[in-house]
């Protein structure tokens, strides 16, 4: 017998834990900033509702039907499709390689919050702090290593247990914390400009680039396209209602991303930061918001601690996909696989950590550094390809009718089944395909 979640709540916590992470708190706000604001947010919502949610349901259904982690899930239905699982493993490797860089930054900021050195609203000073970090190879690599070490230790302990319990406190705490920060941020003098930037879509800003990034962000944020949700869904029992879960996770995930947007962007405008700052946006802006709050010092510590926790519940899901492949499909030992894979990811991650500092002038492919390369390769190419193959597989190979049967096994009527089937068979593949073709085109043009 395979393990089952100790409760339905356990699954929801783990899946939501995977979805909610740096993607929401760190990536969403800066992507909004670099992709023109409200137009990106609007596109994000459209893709979320018509592509993200239907695919979330498809992924969980595939997992529960086969009761296998992603590689086996595809293989058990059609041998030829097992490569999709393999794609997920590669994707997990590369995401974790740069995710751990940012995880390391979070640990560094947590340390500085504890030391009280972030207590300023001065954009120049905060910019310097971040810049200094980027230029300290030893620190960067050490913190990245610590982040991966935490991830590895949790994965070594199996799926349920401590993390599930801790999530029950940490997730709501993160939610409340973000609401408080957002409240502070939108009430700062001069924040109106930022609120407008977030909420008023300037549709002339929408182009293929923005569409690629918005769709990639949906996949990244929901953890779909590399098999996490298939694998997690495989631990669900036949009595569990997967319909409400497939809606609940995106709702929680999006709420957190939006609130993080409101916590960051208005403050960027009010306090004189640059909205197009890129990956450093959260790290330079939020300490300034804390510094302008009573007891901000404490807030700062708690915040980075909660972000670290959220990042870990996501990173363990990536590592889990990689490990379960070697354990289930290659009959390798769980312990050894976990340690070796983590080490490999660490080695691959080092260039990502160095690429914005000492290796800044090392233009790799088409002017991208390692960090951007890993990010583009996973978010815009691998996850999107995985999402495309998932809908073709569930819609046409497993067949939408069979998927609907699986969804209804638990005794719940799926009223929107015809709509979902139509989306999964036609709309999602067509829309994702158009964007994907452009992502490939862009990527190939960069390389040559
Ligand atoms: N969804 C996670 C986040 O938002 C990142 C992630 C992507 C996790 C893909 C697993 C798989 O931080």
């Amino acid at each position: 017998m395979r393990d089952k979640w100790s409760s339905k709540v356990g699954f929801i916590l783990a899946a939501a834990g995977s979805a909610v992470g740096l993607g929401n708190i760190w990536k969403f706000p800066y992507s909004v900033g670099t992709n023109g604001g409200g137009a990106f947010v609007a596109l994000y919502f459209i893709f979320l509702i018509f592509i993200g949610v239907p695919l979330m349901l498809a992924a969980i259904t595939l997992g529960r039907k086969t009761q296998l982690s992603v590689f086996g899930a595809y293989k058990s239905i059609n041998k030829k499709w097992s490569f999709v699982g393999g794609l997920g493993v590669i994707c997990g490797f590369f995401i974790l390689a740069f995710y751990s860089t940012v995880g390391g930054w979070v640990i560094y900021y947590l340390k500085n919050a504890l030391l009280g050195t972030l207590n300023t609203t001065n954009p120049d000073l905060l910019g310097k702090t971040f810049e200094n970090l980027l230029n300290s190879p030893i620190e960067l690599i050490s913190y990245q290593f610590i982040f991966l070490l935490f991830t590895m230790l949790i994965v070594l302990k199996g799926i349920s247990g401590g993390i599930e319990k801790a999530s029950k406190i940490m997730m709501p705490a993160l939610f409340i914390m973000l609401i408080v920060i957002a409240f502070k941020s939108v009430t700062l003098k001069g924040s109106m400009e930022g609120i407008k930037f977030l909420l008023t879509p300037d549709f002339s800003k929408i182009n293929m680039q923005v569409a690629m990034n918005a769709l990639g962000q949906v996949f990244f944020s929901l953890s779909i396209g590399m098999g996490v949700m298939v694998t997690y869904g495989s631990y669900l029992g036949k009595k569990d209602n997967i319909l409400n879960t497939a809606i609940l996770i995106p709702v929680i995930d999006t709420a957190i991303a939006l609130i993080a947007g409101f916590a960051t962007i208005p403050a960027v405008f009010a306090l004189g930061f640059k909205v197009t700052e890129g990956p450093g946006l959260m790290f330079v802006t939020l300490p300034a918001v804390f510094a302008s709050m009573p007891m901000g010092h404490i807030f700062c510590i708690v915040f980075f601690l909660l972000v670290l926790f959220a990042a870990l519940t996501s990173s363990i899901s990536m590592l889990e996909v990689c490990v379960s492949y070697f354990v289930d499909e290659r009959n390798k030992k769980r312990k050894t696989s976990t340690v070796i894979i983590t080490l490999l990811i660490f080695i691959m991650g080092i260039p990502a950590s160095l690429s914005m500092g000492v290796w800044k002038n090392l233009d790799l492919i088409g002017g991208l550094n390692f960090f951007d390369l890993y990010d583009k390769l996973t978010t815009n190419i691998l996850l999107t390809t995985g999402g495309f193959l998932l809908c073709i597989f569930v819609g046409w190979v497993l067949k939408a009718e069979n998927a609907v049967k699986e969804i209804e096994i638990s005794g719940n009527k799926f009223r929107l089944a015809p709509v979902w089937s139509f989306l999964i068979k036609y709309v999602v593949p067509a829309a994702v395909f158009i964007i994907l073709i452009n992502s490939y085109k862009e990527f190939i043009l960069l390389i040559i």
Side-chain angles (χ1 to χ4, degrees), residues 153-415:
L153 291 175
I154 302 169
V155 167
L156 278 177
K157 288 186 170 276
I159 59 155
S160 45
I163 283 293
E164 237 177 83
K165 287 199 201 95
S167 295
K168 285 188 194 160
I169 306 164
M170 300 295 251
M171 294 264 267
L174 177 67
F175 196 76
I176 295 169
M177 184 88 185
L178 280 169
I179 290 186
V180 175
I181 307 169
F183 185 77
K184 177 71 201 177
S185 177
V186 297
T187 50
L188 285 169
K189 211 166 128 242
S191 63
M192 205 51 209
E193 203 56 28
I195 300 175
K196 277 199 205 127
F197 181 79
L198 257 173
L199 295 183
T200 349
D202 169 0
F203 287 106
S204 69
K205 293 229 173 91
I206 294 187
N207 54 31
M208 224 353 138
Q209 189 71 37
V210 174
M212 282 188 295
N213 292 338
L215 184 66
Q217 177 65 23
V218 168
F219 286 122
F220 189 90
S221 193
L222 294 181
S223 307
I224 41 181
M226 62 160 275
V228 169
M229 293 300 166
V230 179
T231 303
Y232 276 16
S234 74
Y235 294 103
L236 277 173
K238 295 285 178 194
K239 285 205 208 81
D240 295 315
N241 175 355
I242 40 184
L243 263 182
N244 50 17
T245 322
I247 309 263
L248 185 65
I249 298 165
V251 168
I252 297 176
D253 188 71
T254 308
I256 300 223
L258 257 192
I259 301 171
F262 276 104
T264 316
I265 306 272
V268 166
F269 284 84
L271 300 174
F273 293 93
K274 261 203 342 263
V275 75
T276 50
E277 172 79 32
L281 192 68
M282 164 187 131
F283 295 93
V284 295
T285 311
L286 291 187
V289 180
F290 297 128
S292 62
M293 286 160 90
M295 302 227 302
H297 172 57
I298 310 281
F299 262 90
C300 192
I301 299 171
V302 178
F303 174 76
F304 281 109
L305 194 67
L306 292 173
V307 173
L308 176 61
F309 183 83
L312 284 170
T313 55
S314 300
S315 61
I316 54 175
S317 70
M318 299 168 213
L319 187 57
E320 182 62 48
V321 166
C322 302
V323 171
S324 60
Y325 165 74
F326 288 95
V327 175
D328 295 350
E329 300 299 321
R330 297 276 164 122
N331 287 324
K332 299 274 187 264
K333 288 214 179 65
R334 190 174 172 91
K335 259 206 179 113
T336 343
S337 317
T338 310
V339 175
I340 295 177
I341 294 169
T342 310
L343 271 178
L344 288 177
I345 292 175
F346 173 60
I347 294 169
M348 261 179 22
I350 292 175
S353 278
L354 300 184
S355 64
M356 279 169 273
V358 285
W359 283 6
K360 194 149 110 200
N361 297 325
L362 188 81
D363 281 352
L364 205 60
I365 295 175
L368 294 180
N369 59 37
F370 274 98
F371 188 94
D372 296 335
L373 182 71
Y374 291 176
D375 182 4
K376 270 214 173 322
L377 178 71
T378 54
T379 313
N380 292 2
I381 303 273
L382 291 176
L383 284 179
T384 314
T385 306
F388 175 71
L389 294 170
L390 173 68
C391 63
I392 298 285
F393 189 77
V394 171
W396 298 94
V397 181
L398 170 66
K399 296 209 163 49
E401 313 76 277
N402 294 327
V404 171
K405 275 193 207 123
E406 174 68 29
I407 294 167
E408 290 184 334
I409 274 186
S410 55
N412 306 81
K413 179 99 191 89
F414 183 14
R415 282 199 203 87

Side-chain angles (χ1 to χ4, degrees), residues 3 18 30 81 91 115 126 171 242 255 279 301 319 366 432:
D3 257 358
S18 168
Y30 93 70
W81 281 75
C91 188
L115 295 175
L126 288 166
M171 294 264 267
I242 40 184
I301 299 171
L319 187 57
V432 178

